[in-house]
């Protein structure tokens, strides 16, 4: 059965339309139009849907409710179209926001009968909400006084998480990596960077903490990271992971190599989730080992003790 699968959402910016716009791009039909007082961005593609893909949930007075594997149709290429329109449309086209990360209205239309099989709304942003109280909000304001050095890495962390929410693993990785560059390599990507990284006890503590956390809470991801090391003929340890993260930083900054990853963003997902956790520990430890409350000598002693414990616990050399 040939079906037209459509995903649409709201788009905002400093632009106007004289009339609805429709273009074709890589077997996708893209529509931009005004409806209900809002600009709507719609992306459609023709698919061949098997009847077995549709699962009838219920039937009420002749109206049936269906379900299907959404991710089979809402793939990375379709999401990339929304993402690229937002990113590239910001330059000279006035586009400011495409709300694909907040929600997408999805529909499956029988092409032959021009009849909607079913439709639904999907939210892509499943991040857990953080409760802000007067207590932690007060502490937030004091961070600027006690850890002024955190301003840049915290800002990178916020931007990286924004890309991560949008499933843009490449941009997220680059922004997370910039936290490490800023904190442990004076903001420079150079031949000396890996040496500087490997000399840092704070970075080693963050990497080992991440390995330990994933082994305990997300074993599948732990195995994927372990396989990354195996594929590069390395053991799973701190030095190896620094080499691998450095390798990805180089590839994703190289136009030709990056293009390969752009075709399959999910291939970067494991290492991006890994570096996001490393950066979470790095940023968190800025608070824990704030110079106002912990001396450099005490910090060094405590961190080295943690490293020894983690190496023993993980069986790493």
């Amino acid at each position: 059965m040939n079906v037209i699968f459509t995903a649409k959402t709201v788009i905002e910016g400093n632009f106007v339309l004289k009339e609805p716009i429709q273009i074709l791009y890589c077997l996708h039909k893209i529509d931009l139009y005004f409806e209900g007082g809002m600009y709507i961005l719609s992306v459609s593609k023709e698919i061949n849907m098997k009847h077995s893909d549709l699962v009838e949930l219920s039937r009420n007075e002749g109206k049936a409710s269906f379900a299907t594997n959404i991710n089979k149709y809402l793939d990375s290429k379709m999401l990339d179209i929304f993402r690229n329109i937002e990113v590239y449309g910001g330059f000279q086209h006035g586009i400011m926001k495409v709300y694909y990360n907040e929600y997408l209205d999805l529909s499956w239309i029988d092409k032959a009968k021009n009849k909607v099989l079913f439709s639904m709304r999907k939210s892509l942003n499943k991040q857990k909400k953080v409760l802000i109280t007067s207590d932690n909000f007060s502490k937030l304001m004091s961070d600027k006084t006690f850890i002024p050095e955190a301003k840049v890495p915290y800002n990178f962390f916020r931007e990286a998480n924004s890309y991560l929410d949008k499933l843009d693993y490449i941009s997220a990785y680059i922004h997370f990596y910039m936290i490490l560059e800023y904190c442990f390599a004076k903001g420079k990507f150079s031949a000396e960077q890996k040496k500087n990284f490997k000399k840092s006890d704070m970075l080693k503590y963050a990497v080992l903490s991440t390995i330990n956390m994933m082994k305990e809470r997300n074993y599948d991801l732990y195995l994927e990271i372990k396989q990354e090391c195996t594929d590069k003929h390395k053991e799973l340890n701190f030095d190896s992971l620094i080499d691998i993260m450095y390798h990805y930083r180089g590839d994703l900054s190289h136009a030709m190599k990056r293009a390969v990853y752009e075709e399959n963003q999910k291939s970067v997902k494991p290492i991006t989730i890994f570096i996001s956790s490393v950066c979470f520990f790095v940023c968190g430890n800025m608070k824990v080992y704030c110079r106002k409350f912990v001396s450099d000598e005490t910090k060094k002693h405590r961190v080295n003790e943690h490293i020894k414990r983690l190496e023993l616990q993980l069986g790493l050399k």
Side-chain angles (χ1 to χ4, degrees):
M1 173 172 55
N2 288 334
V3 171
I4 304 299
F5 172 65
T6 300
K8 66 179 183 179
T9 191
V10 171
I11 179 172
E12 291 182 348
N14 297 316
F15 63 88
V16 294
L17 295 179
K18 289 184 178 180
E19 58 187 9
I21 293 173
Q22 183 180 103
I23 63 171
L24 295 177
Y25 174 77
C26 296
L27 303 179
H28 290 77
K29 184 176 72 173
I30 305 174
D31 290 275
L32 181 60
Y33 54 95
F34 193 74
E35 181 181 86
M38 298 179 292
Y39 285 110
I40 304 296
L41 178 63
S42 168
V43 180
S44 304
K45 64 180 177 179
E46 185 173 338
I47 57 176
N48 187 268
M49 175 183 273
K50 298 178 182 178
H51 287 281
S52 58
D53 286 346
L54 285 173
V55 179
E56 186 171 327
L57 299 178
S58 63
R59 186 174 288 274
N60 183 19
E61 297 180 357
K63 293 183 178 180
S65 174
F66 294 96
T68 187
N69 179 6
I70 295 171
N71 292 330
K72 183 176 181 179
Y73 307 104
L74 187 62
D75 56 19
S76 59
K77 287 186 178 179
M78 186 170 254
L79 290 174
D80 272 344
I81 290 175
F82 286 103
R83 183 182 300 121
N84 290 335
I85 288 173
E86 182 179 62
V87 171
Y88 292 100
F91 180 69
Q92 292 187 316
H93 292 84
I95 293 172
M96 300 178 68
K97 177 74 174 176
V98 178
Y99 285 85
Y100 70 95
N101 188 46
E102 284 69 24
Y103 75 91
L104 286 172
D105 286 330
L106 311 178
S107 63
W108 288 256
I109 301 172
D110 186 329
K111 185 180 179 183
K113 299 179 180 179
N114 194 27
K115 177 183 177 183
V116 177
L117 296 171
F118 69 103
S119 61
M120 64 171 294
R121 174 168 288 193
K122 177 177 175 61
S123 174
L124 299 181
N125 190 344
K126 297 180 180 178
Q127 259 207 340
K128 186 178 179 181
K129 300 290 185 181
V130 177
L131 176 66
I132 294 182
T133 65
S134 58
D135 181 56
N136 60 28
F137 198 63
S138 177
K139 291 178 180 177
L140 179 158
M141 298 308 296
S142 66
D143 285 347
K144 175 64 175 70
T145 302
F146 297 139
I147 46 173
E149 69 274 14
K151 183 175 182 179
V152 172
Y154 279 21
N155 194 40
F156 279 136
F157 192 85
R158 176 183 57 80
E159 292 181 2
N161 268 328
S162 177
Y163 284 115
L164 199 57
D165 287 345
K166 298 175 183 178
L167 309 183
D168 185 350
Y169 299 114
I170 293 176
S171 297
Y173 185 89
I174 294 296
H175 279 74
F176 281 125
Y177 195 93
M178 285 193 286
I179 294 174
L180 305 187
E181 284 187 339
Y182 178 85
C183 293
F184 307 110
K186 298 180 180 179
K188 297 178 181 178
F189 183 67
S190 64
E192 293 294 312
Q193 188 182 81
K194 281 198 297 182
K195 293 181 181 178
N196 291 328
F197 280 178
K198 291 179 181 181
K199 288 189 294 185
S200 171
D201 290 337
M202 289 300 291
L203 181 53
K204 186 171 186 178
Y205 178 30
V207 169
L208 296 184
S209 296
T210 299
I211 298 172
N212 187 57
M213 180 187 70
M214 290 183 173
K215 190 173 183 180
E216 292 179 349
R217 303 182 190 179
N218 192 342
Y219 197 69
D220 287 342
L221 182 57
Y222 168 78
L223 292 178
E224 288 184 282
I225 295 301
K226 192 173 183 179
Q227 187 61 48
E228 280 275 1
C229 294
T230 301
D231 292 344
K232 303 274 191 309
H233 308 290
K234 295 178 178 292
E235 296 291 328
L236 176 65
N237 56 40
F238 171 63
D239 284 359
S240 296
L241 288 164
I242 292 299
D243 290 340
I244 289 170
M245 288 191 290
Y246 179 88
H247 167 81
Y248 271 100
R249 168 66 168 83
D251 277 2
L252 296 179
S253 300
H254 187 282
M256 294 298 291
K257 293 179 180 179
R258 178 180 175 126
V260 176
Y261 291 109
E262 290 277 8
E263 291 297 313
N264 182 18
Q265 285 256 358
K266 287 187 177 179
S267 65
V268 194
K269 181 179 178 179
I271 196 64
T272 300
I273 300 300
F274 181 82
I275 197 174
S276 73
S277 295
V278 171
C279 291
F280 178 81
F281 280 110
V282 168
C283 291
N285 285 334
M286 286 185 174
K287 287 188 175 185
V288 176
Y289 297 102
C290 171
R291 283 186 176 180
K292 184 172 180 64
F293 304 110
V294 181
S295 68
D296 288 342
E297 185 178 345
T298 300
K299 178 176 73 172
K300 184 175 181 179
H301 173 74
R302 290 180 182 175
V303 168
N304 283 327
E305 287 297 310
H306 286 309
I307 288 174
K308 290 177 184 177
R309 175 181 56 79
L310 285 166
E311 286 181 328
L312 183 64
Q313 190 172 333
L314 293 167
L316 302 179
K317 297 179 181 179

